[in-house]
Amino acid sequence: MKDPSFRRSAALFRAFMREQGDPATAYTLLARDAADQVERHGPVRGKVVVDIGGGDGYFTREFRRRGAHGYLFEPDTAEIGPGKRADTVVADGYLLPLADGAADVCFSSNVLEHVADPHTFLSEMARVTRPGGLIYVSFTNWYSPWGGHEWAPWHYLGAERARSRYERRTGRPAKHRLGDNLFRIGVGDTLRHVRSRSDVTVLSARSRYWPVLPQLVPRIPVLREFATWNLLLILRRCS
C-alpha cells in the first residue's frame, strides 16, 4: 500500500477496528506497513533488528520474513503467549541484555505510552543501536482520540470515569489503568526531547496513519496533541 494514501489509512483503520476479534489480521498488516517504513531507509536483509515490547511477535516475524535477524524482547510473558520461541527474550526495555551497538535497527511500536519513564526507555534504545543505525519508535499520544485505548474517547472526561464506564458497559476489567500501565505522553514534549539529544538525529517525525501530509500535523502546536493520533519517529544513531 502506498504510504501515505487514503487506501492505506482506510485499510489500517478497518483492521484496527477488528483488532480484538481478529488480532492476527490487524497486526500482520500493521507489521508489514511498519517494515515498509523502516525499509525506506535501507533494506533489513542480513541486519540485526531488535523489537522491544512486540508482544506476540508479529513485527519480529515480518522482519525475519524479509531476511533480517529479528529478535523480540518482551517483559510480559502473557503477551508472548504459550510456547516461547528461540527468537524471544523475556526482558525489560529499560535494561536490555544487549551490548552497546548490537542492533542495526531498534524497533518499538506503540510501547512508549505504556512506560513510566519514556526518556530512559529511549536512551536504552539508543544505547543498543550501532552508530549509523536506525531507531523506529511510535506511540499513541494521550490527547488523541485513541489516547485512552480501550476506554477512549471517554478519557477526555477523566481517566477513572472512562475506565469505570468501560467496565460497566462490557462487564469485564479494563486492560489499562492510568499511572500503572498507561501514561500521559505528548507530541510536543517528546519532539523537544529527541531533538535535544546528542546521541540521535531525527530523520522523520510524522503522524503514523495520516493519509495526506503526515509530517505537517506534528509541527502545529496544540493541534498536534489531538490530531496526530500516533506519532512516528525514525531516528539515526549518532557516533
Side-chain angles (χ1 to χ4, degrees):
M1 297 180 294
K2 182 181 178 182
D3 177 17
S5 69
F6 284 99
R7 179 171 176 267
R8 166 186 171 269
S9 295
L12 290 171
F13 184 74
R14 285 195 299 268
F16 174 77
M17 294 302 292
R18 300 170 184 154
E19 179 263 338
Q20 290 193 358
D22 187 8
T25 297
Y27 287 110
T28 297
L29 180 62
L30 189 60
R32 291 176 182 170
D33 186 73
D36 286 343
Q37 290 170 330
V38 171
E39 290 204 307
R40 284 186 173 187
H41 301 272
V44 298
R45 178 170 294 278
K47 303 292 181 64
V48 174
V49 179
V50 172
D51 176 11
I52 305 174
D56 198 34
Y58 290 100
F59 298 102
T60 301
R61 288 194 289 275
E62 178 62 24
F63 285 120
R64 291 175 73 89
R65 190 183 70 83
R66 297 181 185 220
H69 305 290
Y71 301 95
L72 170 63
F73 291 80
E74 169 61 54
D76 189 348
T77 55
E79 291 289 337
I80 297 171
K84 181 184 169 187
R85 300 175 298 275
D87 60 3
T88 303
V89 179
V90 178
D92 195 311
Y94 289 131
L95 191 62
L96 295 168
L98 289 169
D100 295 356
D104 297 297
V105 178
C106 198
F107 179 92
S108 173
S109 174
N110 295 340
V111 176
L112 210 61
E113 71 266 31
H114 300 296
V115 300
D117 186 354
H119 295 179
T120 298
F121 188 90
L122 288 169
S123 293
E124 187 67 352
M125 292 186 73
R127 181 189 69 79
V128 303
T129 306
R130 67 167 176 81
L134 290 180
I135 299 168
Y136 177 112
V137 58
S138 76
F139 66 89
T140 302
N141 45 301
W142 172 249
Y143 286 111
S144 82
W146 305 106
H149 286 50
E150 73 269 31
W151 24 272
W154 302 99
H155 65 296
Y156 289 130
L157 302 179
E160 285 303 308
R161 179 181 296 178
R163 186 181 59 80
S164 297
R165 179 188 181 278
Y166 171 85
E167 292 179 349
R168 287 195 307 271
R169 183 172 60 85
T170 64
R172 60 177 182 266
K175 180 179 180 180
H176 298 97
R177 182 184 289 270
L178 190 66
D180 180 17
N181 57 2
L182 182 65
F183 299 88
R184 292 184 175 94
I185 184 168
V187 175
D189 289 343
T190 304
L191 287 174
R192 284 188 290 272
H193 172 72
V194 296
R195 287 168 177 162
S196 70
R197 297 183 67 107
S198 60
D199 54 355
V200 297
T201 56
V202 180
L203 300 182
S204 178
R206 55 168 287 186
S207 171
R208 186 176 184 180
Y209 305 124
W210 265 63
V212 291
L213 301 175
Q215 297 88 359
L216 178 61
V217 174
R219 298 178 184 175
I220 305 173
V222 182
L223 176 65
R224 63 190 175 193
E225 303 299 336
F226 299 90
T228 300
W229 284 40
N230 189 286
L231 181 66
L232 168 61
L233 298 170
I234 297 183
L235 314 174
R236 178 83 71 187
R237 178 70 163 93
C238 299
S239 300

